[in-house]
């Protein structure tokens, strides 16, 4: 649990269930001079007791069997199992194995962390990752940078609608961070839920593309596709397991397993890969499966979005809204730090100095608390806020490689060439193809989600010192 974000740790993963049995390591503490002793149920006295996750999974005193299955499903073990099944199938093993199409999607934050560690540039690192994964039996490798185009465009469109109708939804809070969403649902309820953007994160839009677009295009049932996504954040494991993203008819999740950057490196270690001798391979692109794929350029280029390593939502939506709402072209969004580097704002002003739009970025829970308190008191002056649970954003996620210079990771990301989603013609063409292929209602379900209040016990939250 220590690697999950603060938002998940303080909201208690188990607050919706009751303990199934007494904890086998529950303790009573008594002081005997300067020495603490711990007594368990049978009266035996021991020195300091340490409890780890394996103890909890074995005990299930406060962890349900369903949760233990969830945790196991979001680990390397099922990945090994699926790859081994495919290998046995291809080798004609007597063991009856089900062949599944394995798809990996890689976040740019994870790739850049590995690139800094191995001293490669971004494109070379992605090619090395693709080569490694294809060597161990993965069929398709995508990057989530492509799917982020959809997330940015749909978020901008949602903001325009909210701004024009202004039915109490402003400020619009982007929902790409599962740590913040979990915190909002479990502790803020009706105050904050209406403000959350309904647009899915790049992780989940990629999942929709894999299970509903790619599967149809290659002629295979979605339950026969095993989708693994590599993310910089442990919270993404829980995002992938939300019931909203599960198809009970086909027993299929949009994202079957989320691995962190660290776990991908462990996967490389398990297969004893030597990246230095591994020639880079090409990364797949969803536009290659579009109806007009022949008109798309085959060379896949990795392009970042302006506005930082957390997606650039504030940057793009402000540029988009200024043009659509006021006919003003904004070439560069200049954020001004207020309380700290993780709390920044940008004002769009008319020629006479009138403030037309107020946008902000709030990373880390102290800054999040400031925004939420202002909303509760009806004193929030912002129209749009990009929120992330981790200080410094997604490049600093809890699943990234440790002991790295955050400046080096950020610099490596910033060296990527940038592009506006509106200039990403292959993505725009795919969006049209997807709409005609699935239908507008089905596509809307694949791009949007909804959130609801899950408020429960919040005694611990009242004592938290932000």
């Amino acid at each position: 649990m220590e690697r999950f974000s603060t938002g998940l740790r303080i909201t208690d993963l188990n607050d919706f269930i009751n303990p199934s049995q007494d904890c086998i390591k529950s303790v009573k503490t008594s002081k005997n001079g300067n020495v603490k002793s711990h007594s368990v149920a049978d009266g035996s006295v021991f020195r300091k007791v340490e409890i780890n996750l394996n103890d909890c999974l074995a005990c299930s005193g406060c962890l349900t069997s369903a949760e233990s299955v969830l945790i196991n499903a979001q680990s390397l073990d099922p990945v090994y199992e699926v790859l081994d099944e495919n290998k046995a199938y291809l080798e004609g093993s007597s063991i009856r194995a089900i062949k599944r199409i394995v798809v990996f999607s890689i976040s740019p934050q994870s790739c850049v962390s590995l690139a800094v560690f191995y001293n490669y540039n971004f494109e070379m690192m992605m090619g090395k990752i693709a080569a490694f994964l294809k060597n161990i039996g993965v069929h398709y490798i995508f990057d989530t940078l492509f799917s982020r185009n959809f997330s940015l465009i749909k978020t901008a469109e949602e903001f325009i609608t909210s701004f024009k109708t202004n039915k109490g939804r402003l400020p619009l809070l982007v929902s790409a961070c599962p740590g913040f969403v979990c915190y909002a649902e479990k502790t803020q309820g009706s105050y904050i839920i209406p403000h959350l953007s309904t647009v899915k994160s790049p992780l989940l839009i990629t999942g929709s593309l894999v299970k509903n677009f790619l599967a149809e295009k290659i002629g295979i049932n979605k339950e026969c596709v095993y989708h693994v996504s590599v993310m910089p954040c442990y919270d993404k494991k829980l995002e992938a397991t939300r019931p909203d993203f599960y198809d009970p008819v086909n027993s299929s999740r949009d994202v079957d397993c989320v691995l962190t950057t660290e776990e991908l490196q462990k996967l490389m270690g398990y297969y004893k890969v030597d990246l230095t001798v591994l020639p880079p391979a090409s990364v797949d692109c969803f536009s290659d499966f579009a109806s007009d794929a022949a008109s798309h350029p085959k060379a896949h280029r990795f392009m970042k979005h302006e506005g930082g390593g957390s997606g650039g939502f504030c940057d793009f939506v402000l540029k988009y809204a200024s043009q659509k709402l006021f006919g003003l072209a904004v070439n560069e969004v200049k954020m001004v730090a207020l309380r700290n580097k993780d709390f920044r704002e940008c004002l769009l002003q008319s020629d006479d100095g009138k403030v037309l739009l107020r946008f902000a970025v709030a990373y880390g829970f102290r800054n999040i608390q400031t925004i939420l308190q202002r909303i509760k008191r009806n004193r929030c002056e912002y129209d749009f806020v990009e929120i992330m649970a981790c200080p410094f954003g997604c490049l600093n996620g809890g699943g990234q490689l440790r002991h790295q210079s955050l400046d080096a990771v950020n610099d490596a990301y910033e060296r990527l060439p940038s592009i506006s989603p509106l200039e990403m013609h292959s993505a725009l063409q795919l969006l049209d193809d997807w709409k005609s292929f699935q239908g507008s209602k089905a596509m809307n379900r694949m791009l949007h989600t909804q959130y609801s209040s899950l408020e429960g016990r919040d005694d611990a939250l009242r004592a938290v010192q932000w």
Side-chain angles (χ1 to χ4, degrees), residues 314-359:
C314 184
D315 186 279
F316 174 71
V317 175
L318 180 56
K319 291 176 180 176
Y320 185 93
S322 63
Q323 180 66 53
K324 292 291 184 180
L325 294 173
F326 307 106
L328 298 175
V330 176
N331 296 320
E332 182 181 3
V333 175
K334 296 182 179 180
M335 306 296 296
V336 178
L338 299 180
R339 299 159 56 92
N340 49 64
K341 291 182 179 180
D342 278 335
F343 195 110
R344 293 167 286 143
E345 72 171 21
C346 181
L347 308 182
L348 178 69
Q349 296 177 298
S350 62
D351 293 337
D352 59 1
K354 179 183 178 181
V355 176
L356 303 175
L357 291 174
R358 293 178 182 268
F359 276 46

Short mmCIF file of all heavy atoms in Angstrom, two decimals, residues 314-359:
data_model
loop_
_atom_site.label_atom_id
_atom_site.label_comp_id
_atom_site.label_asym_id
_atom_site.label_seq_id
_atom_site.Cartn_x
_atom_site.Cartn_y
_atom_site.Cartn_z
N CYS A 314 -4.60 21.31 -19.12
CA CYS A 314 -4.81 22.74 -18.91
C CYS A 314 -4.34 23.53 -20.13
O CYS A 314 -5.04 24.44 -20.60
CB CYS A 314 -4.05 23.19 -17.65
SG CYS A 314 -4.31 24.92 -17.20
N ASP A 315 -3.19 23.20 -20.65
CA ASP A 315 -2.61 23.90 -21.78
C ASP A 315 -3.51 23.81 -23.01
O ASP A 315 -3.88 24.83 -23.61
CB ASP A 315 -1.23 23.32 -22.09
CG ASP A 315 -0.48 24.08 -23.17
OD1 ASP A 315 -0.75 23.86 -24.36
OD2 ASP A 315 0.39 24.88 -22.81
N PHE A 316 -3.90 22.60 -23.38
CA PHE A 316 -4.67 22.42 -24.61
C PHE A 316 -6.08 22.99 -24.48
O PHE A 316 -6.58 23.67 -25.39
CB PHE A 316 -4.75 20.95 -25.00
CG PHE A 316 -5.65 20.71 -26.18
CD1 PHE A 316 -5.27 21.11 -27.46
CD2 PHE A 316 -6.90 20.12 -26.02
CE1 PHE A 316 -6.11 20.91 -28.55
CE2 PHE A 316 -7.75 19.92 -27.11
CZ PHE A 316 -7.34 20.32 -28.38
N VAL A 317 -6.75 22.73 -23.36
CA VAL A 317 -8.13 23.18 -23.20
C VAL A 317 -8.20 24.70 -23.21
O VAL A 317 -9.12 25.30 -23.78
CB VAL A 317 -8.76 22.60 -21.92
CG1 VAL A 317 -10.16 23.17 -21.69
CG2 VAL A 317 -8.83 21.08 -22.00
N LEU A 318 -7.21 25.37 -22.60
CA LEU A 318 -7.20 26.83 -22.61
C LEU A 318 -7.03 27.37 -24.03
O LEU A 318 -7.73 28.31 -24.44
CB LEU A 318 -6.08 27.36 -21.71
CG LEU A 318 -5.95 28.88 -21.63
CD1 LEU A 318 -7.25 29.52 -21.17
CD2 LEU A 318 -4.82 29.29 -20.69
N LYS A 319 -6.12 26.79 -24.80
CA LYS A 319 -5.93 27.22 -26.19
C LYS A 319 -7.20 26.98 -27.01
O LYS A 319 -7.61 27.83 -27.81
CB LYS A 319 -4.75 26.47 -26.81
CG LYS A 319 -3.39 26.85 -26.24
CD LYS A 319 -2.29 25.98 -26.85
CE LYS A 319 -0.92 26.35 -26.27
NZ LYS A 319 0.15 25.46 -26.79
N TYR A 320 -7.79 25.81 -26.83
CA TYR A 320 -8.99 25.45 -27.57
C TYR A 320 -10.15 26.37 -27.21
O TYR A 320 -10.85 26.89 -28.09
CB TYR A 320 -9.34 23.99 -27.26
CG TYR A 320 -10.50 23.41 -28.04
CD1 TYR A 320 -10.27 22.72 -29.23
CD2 TYR A 320 -11.80 23.52 -27.58
CE1 TYR A 320 -11.33 22.17 -29.95
CE2 TYR A 320 -12.86 22.97 -28.28
CZ TYR A 320 -12.62 22.30 -29.46
OH TYR A 320 -13.67 21.74 -30.17
N ALA A 321 -10.36 26.59 -25.91
CA ALA A 321 -11.49 27.39 -25.45
C ALA A 321 -11.34 28.86 -25.83
O ALA A 321 -12.33 29.52 -26.16
CB ALA A 321 -11.64 27.25 -23.94
N SER A 322 -10.14 29.39 -25.78
CA SER A 322 -9.94 30.80 -26.12
C SER A 322 -10.31 31.06 -27.57
O SER A 322 -10.88 32.11 -27.91
CB SER A 322 -8.48 31.21 -25.86
OG SER A 322 -7.59 30.48 -26.69
N GLN A 323 -10.02 30.09 -28.44
CA GLN A 323 -10.37 30.23 -29.86
C GLN A 323 -11.86 30.04 -30.08
O GLN A 323 -12.51 30.83 -30.78
CB GLN A 323 -9.57 29.22 -30.68
CG GLN A 323 -9.85 29.27 -32.18
CD GLN A 323 -9.38 30.57 -32.81
OE1 GLN A 323 -8.23 30.94 -32.64
NE2 GLN A 323 -10.25 31.26 -33.53
N LYS A 324 -12.43 29.00 -29.48
CA LYS A 324 -13.83 28.67 -29.71
C LYS A 324 -14.79 29.67 -29.07
O LYS A 324 -15.84 30.00 -29.63
CB LYS A 324 -14.13 27.27 -29.18
CG LYS A 324 -13.46 26.13 -29.96
CD LYS A 324 -14.06 25.98 -31.34
CE LYS A 324 -13.46 24.79 -32.08
NZ LYS A 324 -14.05 24.63 -33.43
N LEU A 325 -14.43 30.16 -27.88
CA LEU A 325 -15.34 31.03 -27.14
C LEU A 325 -15.16 32.50 -27.46
O LEU A 325 -16.14 33.27 -27.47
CB LEU A 325 -15.16 30.80 -25.64
CG LEU A 325 -15.55 29.42 -25.09
CD1 LEU A 325 -15.15 29.30 -23.63
CD2 LEU A 325 -17.05 29.18 -25.25
N PHE A 326 -13.90 32.92 -27.69
CA PHE A 326 -13.63 34.35 -27.83
C PHE A 326 -12.89 34.71 -29.12
O PHE A 326 -12.60 35.89 -29.35
CB PHE A 326 -12.81 34.84 -26.62
CG PHE A 326 -13.45 34.49 -25.31
CD1 PHE A 326 -12.93 33.47 -24.52
CD2 PHE A 326 -14.57 35.16 -24.86
CE1 PHE A 326 -13.50 33.13 -23.30
CE2 PHE A 326 -15.17 34.84 -23.64
CZ PHE A 326 -14.63 33.83 -22.87
N GLY A 327 -12.58 33.71 -29.95
CA GLY A 327 -11.88 33.99 -31.19
C GLY A 327 -10.46 34.47 -30.99
O GLY A 327 -9.90 35.14 -31.87
N LEU A 328 -9.86 34.13 -29.86
CA LEU A 328 -8.50 34.56 -29.55
C LEU A 328 -7.53 33.39 -29.74
O LEU A 328 -7.77 32.29 -29.23
CB LEU A 328 -8.41 35.07 -28.10
CG LEU A 328 -9.28 36.30 -27.77
CD1 LEU A 328 -9.17 36.63 -26.28
CD2 LEU A 328 -8.86 37.49 -28.61
N ALA A 329 -6.46 33.62 -30.45
CA ALA A 329 -5.44 32.59 -30.67
C ALA A 329 -4.37 32.71 -29.59
O ALA A 329 -3.74 33.77 -29.44
CB ALA A 329 -4.82 32.74 -32.04
N VAL A 330 -4.18 31.65 -28.84
CA VAL A 330 -3.15 31.61 -27.80
C VAL A 330 -2.07 30.62 -28.24
O VAL A 330 -2.34 29.42 -28.36
CB VAL A 330 -3.74 31.19 -26.44
CG1 VAL A 330 -2.63 31.05 -25.39
CG2 VAL A 330 -4.79 32.19 -25.98
N ASN A 331 -0.90 31.13 -28.51
CA ASN A 331 0.19 30.27 -28.98
C ASN A 331 0.96 29.63 -27.83
O ASN A 331 1.50 28.53 -27.99
CB ASN A 331 1.15 31.08 -29.85
CG ASN A 331 0.48 31.59 -31.11
OD1 ASN A 331 -0.30 30.88 -31.73
ND2 ASN A 331 0.77 32.84 -31.49
N GLU A 332 1.02 30.30 -26.71
CA GLU A 332 1.77 29.77 -25.57
C GLU A 332 1.02 30.08 -24.27
O GLU A 332 0.60 31.23 -24.05
CB GLU A 332 3.17 30.39 -25.51
CG GLU A 332 4.02 29.85 -24.38
CD GLU A 332 5.40 30.49 -24.32
OE1 GLU A 332 5.65 31.40 -25.15
OE2 GLU A 332 6.20 30.11 -23.46
N VAL A 333 0.85 29.07 -23.45
CA VAL A 333 0.20 29.23 -22.16
C VAL A 333 1.28 29.40 -21.09
O VAL A 333 2.10 28.51 -20.88
CB VAL A 333 -0.69 28.01 -21.83
CG1 VAL A 333 -1.26 28.14 -20.41
CG2 VAL A 333 -1.82 27.88 -22.84
N LYS A 334 1.28 30.55 -20.45
CA LYS A 334 2.27 30.84 -19.41
C LYS A 334 1.63 30.72 -18.04
O LYS A 334 0.76 31.51 -17.67
CB LYS A 334 2.85 32.24 -19.61
CG LYS A 334 3.64 32.40 -20.91
CD LYS A 334 4.24 33.79 -21.03
CE LYS A 334 5.04 33.92 -22.32
NZ LYS A 334 5.64 35.28 -22.47
N MET A 335 2.04 29.68 -17.32
CA MET A 335 1.52 29.43 -15.98
C MET A 335 2.35 30.19 -14.95
O MET A 335 3.58 30.19 -15.02
CB MET A 335 1.53 27.94 -15.67
CG MET A 335 0.81 27.06 -16.70
SD MET A 335 -0.96 27.38 -16.83
CE MET A 335 -1.54 26.91 -15.20
N VAL A 336 1.69 30.79 -13.99
CA VAL A 336 2.36 31.55 -12.93
C VAL A 336 2.19 30.80 -11.61
O VAL A 336 1.06 30.49 -11.21
CB VAL A 336 1.79 32.97 -12.81
CG1 VAL A 336 2.46 33.72 -11.67
CG2 VAL A 336 1.94 33.72 -14.12
N ALA A 337 3.31 30.48 -10.96
CA ALA A 337 3.26 29.78 -9.67
C ALA A 337 2.72 30.71 -8.59
O ALA A 337 3.10 31.88 -8.51
CB ALA A 337 4.65 29.28 -9.29
N LEU A 338 1.82 30.18 -7.77
CA LEU A 338 1.23 30.97 -6.69
C LEU A 338 1.75 30.50 -5.33
O LEU A 338 2.75 30.99 -4.83
CB LEU A 338 -0.29 30.88 -6.75
CG LEU A 338 -0.95 31.41 -8.03
CD1 LEU A 338 -2.47 31.26 -7.96
CD2 LEU A 338 -0.58 32.87 -8.26
N ARG A 339 1.11 29.50 -4.75
CA ARG A 339 1.51 29.00 -3.44
C ARG A 339 2.84 28.26 -3.51
O ARG A 339 3.67 28.33 -2.60
CB ARG A 339 0.43 28.06 -2.89
CG ARG A 339 -0.91 28.74 -2.69
CD ARG A 339 -2.04 27.72 -2.65
NE ARG A 339 -1.83 26.73 -1.60
CZ ARG A 339 -2.30 26.84 -0.37
NH1 ARG A 339 -3.01 27.91 -0.03
NH2 ARG A 339 -2.08 25.90 0.52
N ASN A 340 3.04 27.49 -4.59
CA ASN A 340 4.24 26.69 -4.79
C ASN A 340 4.30 26.30 -6.26
O ASN A 340 3.41 26.66 -7.04
CB ASN A 340 4.23 25.45 -3.87
CG ASN A 340 2.90 24.71 -3.95
OD1 ASN A 340 2.51 24.19 -4.99
ND2 ASN A 340 2.17 24.69 -2.83
N LYS A 341 5.31 25.54 -6.65
CA LYS A 341 5.46 25.17 -8.06
C LYS A 341 4.35 24.25 -8.55
O LYS A 341 4.12 24.15 -9.76
CB LYS A 341 6.82 24.48 -8.26
CG LYS A 341 8.02 25.41 -8.11
CD LYS A 341 9.31 24.66 -8.37
CE LYS A 341 10.51 25.60 -8.24
NZ LYS A 341 11.80 24.89 -8.49
N ASP A 342 3.68 23.58 -7.62
CA ASP A 342 2.60 22.67 -8.00
C ASP A 342 1.23 23.33 -8.00
O ASP A 342 0.22 22.67 -8.22
CB ASP A 342 2.58 21.46 -7.06
CG ASP A 342 3.59 20.40 -7.47
OD1 ASP A 342 3.94 20.36 -8.66
OD2 ASP A 342 4.04 19.64 -6.60
N PHE A 343 1.18 24.61 -7.70
CA PHE A 343 -0.08 25.36 -7.76
C PHE A 343 0.16 26.57 -8.66
O PHE A 343 0.77 27.55 -8.27
CB PHE A 343 -0.51 25.82 -6.37
CG PHE A 343 -1.96 26.27 -6.31
CD1 PHE A 343 -2.91 25.51 -5.64
CD2 PHE A 343 -2.37 27.44 -6.93
CE1 PHE A 343 -4.23 25.91 -5.59
CE2 PHE A 343 -3.69 27.85 -6.89
CZ PHE A 343 -4.63 27.08 -6.22
N ARG A 344 -0.34 26.47 -9.89
CA ARG A 344 -0.09 27.51 -10.88
C ARG A 344 -1.39 27.91 -11.57
O ARG A 344 -2.34 27.11 -11.61
CB ARG A 344 0.91 27.02 -11.93
CG ARG A 344 2.32 26.80 -11.39
CD ARG A 344 3.18 26.02 -12.38
NE ARG A 344 2.83 24.61 -12.42
CZ ARG A 344 2.83 23.87 -13.52
NH1 ARG A 344 3.16 24.42 -14.69
NH2 ARG A 344 2.51 22.59 -13.47
N GLU A 345 -1.43 29.12 -12.08
CA GLU A 345 -2.63 29.58 -12.77
C GLU A 345 -2.26 30.34 -14.04
O GLU A 345 -1.13 30.81 -14.21
CB GLU A 345 -3.48 30.47 -11.88
CG GLU A 345 -2.90 31.84 -11.62
CD GLU A 345 -3.86 32.78 -10.91
OE1 GLU A 345 -4.82 32.30 -10.26
OE2 GLU A 345 -3.65 34.01 -11.02
N CYS A 346 -3.24 30.44 -14.93
CA CYS A 346 -3.09 31.22 -16.16
C CYS A 346 -4.41 31.93 -16.42
O CYS A 346 -5.48 31.30 -16.37
CB CYS A 346 -2.70 30.34 -17.34
SG CYS A 346 -2.48 31.27 -18.89
N LEU A 347 -4.35 33.22 -16.67
CA LEU A 347 -5.54 34.01 -16.94
C LEU A 347 -5.57 34.41 -18.40
O LEU A 347 -4.57 34.87 -18.95
CB LEU A 347 -5.56 35.27 -16.06
CG LEU A 347 -5.37 35.09 -14.56
CD1 LEU A 347 -5.47 36.44 -13.85
CD2 LEU A 347 -6.38 34.11 -13.98
N LEU A 348 -6.72 34.24 -19.03
CA LEU A 348 -6.93 34.74 -20.38
C LEU A 348 -7.64 36.08 -20.27
O LEU A 348 -8.74 36.16 -19.70
CB LEU A 348 -7.78 33.76 -21.21
CG LEU A 348 -8.10 34.21 -22.64
CD1 LEU A 348 -6.83 34.21 -23.50
CD2 LEU A 348 -9.16 33.32 -23.26
N GLN A 349 -7.02 37.12 -20.80
CA GLN A 349 -7.57 38.47 -20.67
C GLN A 349 -7.86 39.08 -22.05
O GLN A 349 -7.17 38.80 -23.03
CB GLN A 349 -6.61 39.37 -19.91
CG GLN A 349 -6.39 38.93 -18.45
CD GLN A 349 -5.38 39.79 -17.74
OE1 GLN A 349 -4.22 39.84 -18.12
NE2 GLN A 349 -5.83 40.48 -16.69
N SER A 350 -8.85 39.94 -22.08
CA SER A 350 -9.16 40.69 -23.30
C SER A 350 -8.20 41.87 -23.42
O SER A 350 -7.41 42.14 -22.52
CB SER A 350 -10.61 41.18 -23.26
OG SER A 350 -10.80 42.06 -22.17
N ASP A 351 -8.29 42.59 -24.52
CA ASP A 351 -7.40 43.73 -24.74
C ASP A 351 -7.58 44.81 -23.69
O ASP A 351 -6.63 45.54 -23.37
CB ASP A 351 -7.65 44.32 -26.14
CG ASP A 351 -7.23 43.38 -27.25
OD1 ASP A 351 -6.38 42.50 -26.98
OD2 ASP A 351 -7.77 43.50 -28.37
N ASP A 352 -8.79 44.93 -23.13
CA ASP A 352 -9.02 45.96 -22.12
C ASP A 352 -8.75 45.46 -20.70
O ASP A 352 -9.06 46.14 -19.72
CB ASP A 352 -10.45 46.48 -22.21
CG ASP A 352 -11.49 45.39 -22.02
OD1 ASP A 352 -11.10 44.22 -21.79
OD2 ASP A 352 -12.70 45.69 -22.12
N GLY A 353 -8.14 44.25 -20.59
CA GLY A 353 -7.75 43.74 -19.28
C GLY A 353 -8.79 42.91 -18.57
O GLY A 353 -8.55 42.42 -17.46
N LYS A 354 -9.95 42.69 -19.18
CA LYS A 354 -10.99 41.89 -18.55
C LYS A 354 -10.58 40.42 -18.56
O LYS A 354 -10.12 39.89 -19.56
CB LYS A 354 -12.31 42.07 -19.29
CG LYS A 354 -13.46 41.25 -18.71
CD LYS A 354 -14.72 41.41 -19.52
CE LYS A 354 -15.85 40.55 -18.97
NZ LYS A 354 -17.10 40.68 -19.77
N VAL A 355 -10.75 39.74 -17.43
CA VAL A 355 -10.42 38.32 -17.33
C VAL A 355 -11.54 37.50 -17.94
O VAL A 355 -12.69 37.56 -17.50
CB VAL A 355 -10.19 37.90 -15.86
CG1 VAL A 355 -9.95 36.39 -15.78
CG2 VAL A 355 -9.02 38.65 -15.25
N LEU A 356 -11.19 36.75 -18.98
CA LEU A 356 -12.17 35.94 -19.69
C LEU A 356 -12.21 34.50 -19.18
O LEU A 356 -13.28 33.90 -19.07
CB LEU A 356 -11.85 35.93 -21.19
CG LEU A 356 -11.79 37.31 -21.87
CD1 LEU A 356 -11.34 37.16 -23.32
CD2 LEU A 356 -13.13 38.01 -21.79
N LEU A 357 -11.04 33.94 -18.88
CA LEU A 357 -10.95 32.57 -18.37
C LEU A 357 -9.87 32.49 -17.30
O LEU A 357 -8.82 33.15 -17.42
CB LEU A 357 -10.60 31.58 -19.50
CG LEU A 357 -11.66 31.31 -20.58
CD1 LEU A 357 -11.06 30.43 -21.67
CD2 LEU A 357 -12.89 30.66 -19.98
N ARG A 358 -10.12 31.67 -16.30
CA ARG A 358 -9.13 31.41 -15.25
C ARG A 358 -8.88 29.91 -15.20
O ARG A 358 -9.80 29.14 -14.92
CB ARG A 358 -9.61 31.89 -13.88
CG ARG A 358 -9.74 33.41 -13.74
CD ARG A 358 -10.27 33.77 -12.36
NE ARG A 358 -10.46 35.19 -12.20
CZ ARG A 358 -9.54 36.03 -11.71
NH1 ARG A 358 -8.38 35.54 -11.31
NH2 ARG A 358 -9.80 37.31 -11.60
N PHE A 359 -7.67 29.51 -15.51
CA PHE A 359 -7.28 28.11 -15.48
C PHE A 359 -6.20 27.91 -14.43
O PHE A 359 -5.41 28.81 -14.15
CB PHE A 359 -6.75 27.67 -16.85
CG PHE A 359 -7.83 27.27 -17.83
CD1 PHE A 359 -8.96 28.06 -18.01
CD2 PHE A 359 -7.71 26.12 -18.59
CE1 PHE A 359 -9.95 27.70 -18.90
CE2 PHE A 359 -8.69 25.75 -19.49
CZ PHE A 359 -9.82 26.54 -19.65
#
